[in-house]
Amino acid sequence: MRLPRYATLAGVGVLALALLPAPPAAAADAQTVTVSTGRSVYLAAEGSRAPVDLAVSTSDGRPLGAAVTVRWTAGGGTATAGADFTADSGAVTFPAGSPSGATRSLAVTVRADGIPETAETVPVTLTAAGATVAARPTVVVDAHGLPYLDRRLPVSRRVADLLGRMTLAEKVGQMTQAERAAVADDPTAVARWQLGSVLSGGGSTPATNTPAAWVEMVNGLQAQALSTRLQIPLIYGIDAVHGHGNVYGATIFPHNVGLGATRDPALVERIGHATAAEVRATGIPWNFAPCLCVSRDERWGRSYESFGEDPALVVSMESVIDGLQGRRSGQLDDADRVLATAKHFAGDGDTDYDEATAAANEGKPWWEQKYPIDQGVTVTDRARFARIDLAPYGPAVRRHDVGSAMPSFSSVDWTSDGLGNPIKMHANPDLITGELKGRLGFDGFVITDWEGIHQIPDPAEPTNSGLTAYKVRVGVNAGSDMFMEPNTAEQFEQLLLAEVGAGRVGMARIDDAVRRILTKKFELGLFENPYASAANVDQVGSAAHRALGREAVAKSQVLLKNSGRALPLRPDASIYLAGRNADDLGNQAGGWTITWQGVSGPDAIPGTSILDGIRQVAPGARVTYSADASAPTGDAQVGVVVVGETPYAEGYGDVGGPECGWCSVPQQEEKSLRLQPADRAVVDKVCAALPTCVVLVVSGRPQVLTDQLAEIDALVASWLPGSEGAGVADVLFGRRPFTGRLPVSWPRAEEQVPINVGDADYRPLYPFGWGLRTDRGRDRLAALAADRPQLGAALAPAAWHADGSLRDAPRILDRLGGQLRADRGNAALVDAVLAVARDAAQDAVVRGDAPENWAALLADAEHAQLSGDPVRAFTLLVRVAR
């Protein structure tokens, strides 16, 4: 595992300081002393003694030069002295010579009156002569004896009881989510605003980005939520879209486009579970994932967040929801599960590319440029919208019971009522309330995207990009339940309270929203266990999760071309490795890693680069590495060139959109569907110099390289593999076979985009579902041959070439087809038979024997298989193979 150089140097510096002799003691009168408490809020049950921790720290870090006495008095809050607590006072002394950081404690006596009550507060006033008191702790007498606190009752009854006790202000607070940075300097805002939730946006982390620091931060905010009278716990949310990407040291899995290439729902479920374990280990119970968008245009900067271009593929990958939440009812409160979010409802992968915007961006500074496709408009009819854009959400709700959903920034413009009147999804009651909550039966809660309702046009203030009463009213009435207001939470609450008071938002809508939110908080077990434990922080970046990531990387690699069986490589090969993405973990991980846009650089995250992986997997190989191919090739026989994209996220990844001006220099390049000029030059140079040339494309979307294809012997779509680059090396050297298949069509030319399975004129360079394999089809079938005569006959050695391909494809495929029709309910057999048929079809394409429409036939076969029609899939593949 690679650690950043600065981490090593920091450790050396600490050691050096520790070895220096201590300077002479300073005079006591030059020393200043601060008294603080371990926490600002201390929870106490009836009839208990609540310990309050005190600590002293000195300005010079030395022991106290003089004794410090801290006097304390309890009282002055909402609890009644004599009935709820003992009105007491006292003093705690830290003797002279106490080390800086020394702790003592006092105790407040909480009485038991046996009367059901909401929470009450007992502030503790501290004074200290000769010292600064930095805190005023509060003891909170826990709410008790109320039905909503009784875990034996059904959740619905607990919710109804709690809802009936809440004021309008408390309800509105539950509907409000602020960003961590907005409350970090003053955590008491959580209690004042009665927030229901806090989130971390991309790159928003505690000062020390460690798993333990995350737990401490979340618990500190939770303490403020629990200081309120009803003690409704906070739910913290985060975008862990390919592993827990905000946390340094987490396992970074391949982005969704790579997971779609695996065609392995069971693997994706395991990744969801591993991600949930790492997220929950840092104190966070809610993940803003998965993205269920169907990516129909690779110019979109979020295309890598999609599992693919076919709704059926996206649906098959929704097993990730089961991994995140658990398959069984009641698993949400497990220590390794989180609430999942289906996003972005609906149509965000299907927006139209705005050529005029892209053209207008040319020549402007990046901050004046606009997104040409992200957050755009889906121009469509209702039938197509249902078939493409809504299709993933029904199974997510009905089959996987996803707990929350997030509307898209995009708009929809129905062709049926004329063009030019798009409706923002955040303002669309027809789709949020009518479709999602109504027809699909979604019973979770809807969370807006980042300032999502700010984008709703206000007819009275068309230039106002912030909040208005109109935007709040429309957003709430459209059906969103919680509102992501990173820096405007208090303003949102005030506006919503006024809208309810004016009768423009009804109490039934407010109660519906809060009921949905509270239900998930109860199901997550937050009322019983509001504080996170640090006991599981070792789950973050664990060896088991990294091994899973490595497996996923290997299965995600798609072998597009393999002339002369250039791959797999010999373990003792003499290799010339080049390309900027061969040894760059930041580029390898992509966006949504440590920061929102990601960051280029070899030390961006702990992990294994592709170069590291090659050295690890093939220690006997002789490797010369030169990022720009400037070093001599020497006696190398194989060139391996790793090129592709630098990280981006959302609109800053749009082709023709704004470059990220604040990002690292490599990320500021113009986004393109073609390899960058420097990458193309490295490919040309290496492929011209060496007898065998292998090119790996590390990117979030296909890169057009048709004009260079002739000089490339083997071409691999590596996508964005994440932290475990050894998985790439595993398939390069044959430790694992290539099995991945394209989740999106690979265009022949930029002008073809958008190009998708099912198009009338479908002629990509490589079709949806294409993927050469390096294992043997006969071996896959052999494990299933018992008691299957037709399959056994197809395995005769004479029917197969030594390289594993079919000798007599028509005859063997006929037998396999008969077995498939007889046993179509056996998933393993179906996969094995279709894989052999696909191999035969792809062999025909490579030989030049396939029919002219082979690309459409292969893509349609892939769609048929994903849609549950293996017989049609087989029939289409056979048409190509023959």
Side-chain angles (χ1 to χ4, degrees):
M1 169 150 325
R2 172 180 294 172
L3 291 174
R5 181 171 176 270
Y6 60 76
T8 305
L9 293 177
V12 173
V14 170
L15 178 60
L17 289 172
L19 294 176
L20 291 175
D29 59 2
Q31 186 183 70
T32 59
V33 180
T34 301
V35 178
S36 60
T37 56
R39 287 176 283 166
S40 58
V41 176
Y42 292 83
L43 302 183
E46 267 201 317
S48 68
R49 285 175 60 81
V52 176
D53 303 318
L54 304 177
V56 291
S57 58
T58 58
S59 58
D60 55 11
R62 299 178 179 280
L64 291 179
V68 172
T69 297
V70 182
R71 302 190 180 280
W72 64 273
T73 303
T78 58
T80 302
D84 297 314
F85 71 101
T86 300
D88 213 344
S89 61
V92 176
T93 298
F94 292 85
S98 297
S100 180
T103 60
R104 297 284 189 276
S105 66
L106 60 90
V108 175
T109 300
V110 178
R111 296 189 171 189
D113 58 14
I115 300 172
E117 293 177 292
T118 56
E120 297 172 307
T121 58
V122 184
V124 179
T125 302
L126 305 176
T127 59
T132 299
V133 176
R136 188 184 185 196
T138 299
V139 172
V140 176
V141 183
D142 285 336
H144 54 275
L146 302 173
Y148 76 88
L149 298 170
D150 187 349
R151 68 172 69 196
R152 298 168 299 180
L153 294 178
V155 167
S156 58
R157 282 191 57 189
R158 298 176 73 181
V159 170
D161 177 71
L162 178 53
L163 194 63
R165 298 176 187 278
M166 295 173 71
T167 65
L168 175 59
E170 288 167 332
K171 292 175 181 179
V172 169
Q174 285 301 300
M175 296 173 67
T176 310
Q177 181 185 66
E179 219 281 333
R180 177 207 64 85
V183 297
D185 292 338
D186 181 14
T188 62
V190 171
R192 290 199 314 277
W193 301 340
Q194 304 182 85
L195 292 176
S197 182
V198 172
L199 84 148
S200 274
S204 181
T205 74
T208 304
N209 191 356
T210 65
W214 279 88
V215 172
E216 182 180 4
M217 177 193 71
V218 173
N219 283 345
L221 298 175
Q222 188 68 276
Q224 293 298 323
L226 298 177
S227 70
T228 59
R229 73 180 189 101
L230 293 172
Q231 294 187 302
I232 303 173
L234 201 69
I235 179 172
Y236 202 100
I238 199 164
D239 290 275
V241 299
H242 65 140
H244 203 1
N246 256 0
V247 179
Y248 185 80
T251 309
I252 306 301
F253 294 101
H255 268 294
N256 283 353
V257 67
L259 296 185
T262 70
R263 299 298 200 276
D264 191 339
L267 172 69
V268 171
E269 180 177 349
R270 289 161 58 206
I271 288 171
H273 191 187
T275 299
E278 296 201 13
V279 170
R280 199 77 185 241
T282 59
I284 299 173
W286 184 15
N287 186 7
F288 304 137
C291 183
L292 301 183
C293 53
V294 182
S295 176
R296 305 292 286 184
D297 190 326
E298 280 69 50
R299 291 172 292 186
W300 183 40
R302 304 190 81 148
S303 58
Y304 63 78
E305 294 188 52
S306 170
F307 291 112
E309 70 185 37
D310 187 339
L313 175 57
V314 175
V315 169
S316 73
M317 295 292 110
E318 289 178 3
S319 55
V320 69
I321 298 171
D322 296 332
L324 292 166
Q325 296 189 159
R327 284 176 174 264
R328 302 187 309 276
S329 175
Q331 278 192 280
L332 269 181
D333 63 352
D334 288 354
D336 58 352
R337 303 291 182 176
V338 295
L339 191 71
T341 307
K343 65 181 189 183
H344 301 92
F345 182 87
D348 60 335
D350 196 21
T351 54
D352 280 12
Y353 189 84
D354 191 333
E355 299 281 1
T357 294
N361 283 340
E362 293 184 13
K364 290 182 179 178
W366 67 268
W367 59 88
E368 292 182 6
Q369 296 181 30
K370 297 180 179 179
Y371 302 166
I373 185 168
D374 188 39
Q375 304 185 16
V377 181
T378 305
V379 180
T380 187
D381 60 70
R382 290 183 181 269
R384 183 185 177 280
F385 191 77
R387 186 177 73 255
I388 300 293
D389 304 303
L390 287 177
Y393 291 93
V397 171
R398 294 168 175 165
R399 190 181 308 163
H400 303 286
D401 195 25
V402 68
S404 66
M406 181 182 290
S408 174
F409 280 126
S410 61
S411 306
V412 63
D413 191 351
W414 303 119
T415 55
S416 58
D417 59 3
L419 300 182
N421 54 344
I423 306 169
K424 276 285 182 183
M425 199 60 58
H426 280 81
N428 199 322
D430 177 42
L431 289 173
I432 295 176
T433 298
E435 182 70 25
L436 180 62
K437 292 181 172 180
R439 192 181 71 82
L440 297 182
F442 175 66
D443 61 3
F445 69 92
V446 176
I447 169 73
T448 68
D449 209 333
W450 184 280
E451 296 183 344
I453 63 170
H454 294 217
Q455 296 189 15
I456 297 173
D458 185 337
E461 301 181 59
T463 62
N464 188 337
S465 61
L467 276 179
T468 67
Y470 175 88
K471 296 179 184 184
V472 170
R473 174 171 73 250
V474 169
V476 174
N477 287 337
S480 288
D481 304 306
M482 184 181 284
F483 292 77
M484 191 182 291
E485 293 296 322
N487 304 298
T488 47
E490 187 176 23
Q491 182 190 7
F492 168 80
E493 291 181 347
Q494 292 168 350
L495 288 169
L496 181 51
L497 285 168
E499 288 300 292
V500 176
R504 290 185 287 267
V505 175
M507 279 305 302
R509 174 76 271 271
I510 298 295
D511 285 348
D512 173 63
V514 178
R515 184 180 295 108
R516 290 168 177 270
I517 294 164
L518 294 178
T519 297
K520 293 306 172 186
K521 289 188 175 185
F522 278 113
E523 291 177 356
L524 282 162
L526 295 178
F527 281 83
E528 285 69 48
N529 298 292
Y531 287 122
S533 168
N536 296 319
V537 293
D538 59 350
Q539 289 287 306
V540 179
S542 69
H545 293 167
R546 291 187 179 278
L548 177 61
R550 180 172 176 171
E551 177 187 350
V553 171
K555 290 183 175 180
S556 72
Q557 303 299 290
V558 180
L559 184 56
L560 300 173
K561 179 181 179 180
N562 196 25
S563 295
R565 300 199 175 274
L567 292 176
L569 300 174
R570 291 170 52 91
D572 60 352
S574 178
I575 298 170
Y576 186 84
L577 180 64
R580 61 176 177 166
N581 284 352
D583 192 33
D584 193 309
L585 277 158
N587 289 357
Q588 192 173 294
W592 291 105
T593 310
I594 300 301
T595 70
W596 173 38
Q597 293 291 319
V599 60
S600 291
D603 296 329
I605 55 173
T608 305
S609 72
I610 293 172
L611 169 61
D612 295 333
I614 289 173
R615 288 172 171 164
Q616 176 184 328
V617 170
R622 290 160 307 198
V623 179
T624 299
Y625 171 59
S626 177
D628 60 359
S630 59
T633 57
D635 61 354
Q637 294 299 303
V638 179
V640 177
V641 186
V642 189
V643 291
E645 296 185 302
T646 54
Y648 53 79
E650 301 191 41
Y652 290 97
D654 282 1
V655 172
E659 296 81 35
C660 180
W662 71 90
C663 292
S664 64
V665 172
Q667 294 173 263
Q668 296 176 26
E669 64 192 16
E670 183 180 359
K671 302 303 179 286
S672 175
L673 289 180
R674 293 177 62 84
L675 291 177
Q676 297 293 321
D679 280 352
R680 292 175 56 81
V682 173
V683 171
D684 286 342
K685 185 173 182 179
V686 175
C687 290
L690 295 168
T692 301
C693 187
V694 177
V695 174
L696 279 63
V697 181
V698 173
S699 65
R701 53 192 162 204
Q703 299 287 279
V704 175
L705 34 64
T706 309
D707 59 332
Q708 292 181 292
L709 192 61
E711 62 186 354
I712 298 171
D713 297 295
L715 177 63
V716 180
S718 290
W719 310 114
L720 297 170
S723 59
E724 308 311 307
V728 177
D730 284 338
V731 293
L732 286 180
F733 289 93
R735 182 175 288 190
R736 285 181 179 270
F738 279 95
T739 57
R741 306 205 293 276
L742 282 179
V744 294
S745 304
W746 196 282
R748 185 178 300 274
E750 293 172 271
E751 295 73 26
Q752 285 186 318
V753 177
I755 183 170
N756 295 289
V757 55
D759 286 355
D761 183 21
Y762 185 73
R763 297 177 184 275
L765 183 64
Y766 297 109
F768 174 71
W770 179 273
L772 305 176
R773 297 182 68 134
T774 53
D775 58 350
R776 295 176 180 270
R778 186 177 183 279
D779 296 339
R780 288 175 244 140
L781 294 172
L784 304 165
D787 301 323
R788 292 185 172 96
Q790 294 187 81
L791 199 56
L795 293 174
W800 300 80
H801 291 293
D803 64 4
S805 61
L806 285 173
R807 187 183 302 274
D808 184 358
R811 184 169 61 87
I812 299 303
L813 290 175
D814 280 345
R815 290 180 176 176
L816 294 179
Q819 190 65 62
L820 175 69
R821 292 178 179 85
D823 216 353
R824 61 186 297 173
N826 186 303
L829 182 135
V830 166
D831 286 346
V833 169
L834 290 179
V836 170
R838 187 177 299 105
D839 288 348
Q842 292 179 155
D843 285 346
V845 174
V846 172
R847 291 194 310 268
D849 295 339
E852 185 180 358
N853 64 337
W854 62 267
L857 293 171
L858 286 176
D860 289 346
E862 187 70 12
H863 172 73
Q865 181 177 356
L866 289 164
S867 302
D869 192 348
V871 173
R872 173 170 168 74
F874 183 82
T875 301
L876 293 170
L877 291 171
V878 169
R879 285 174 61 185
V880 179
R882 289 181 173 175

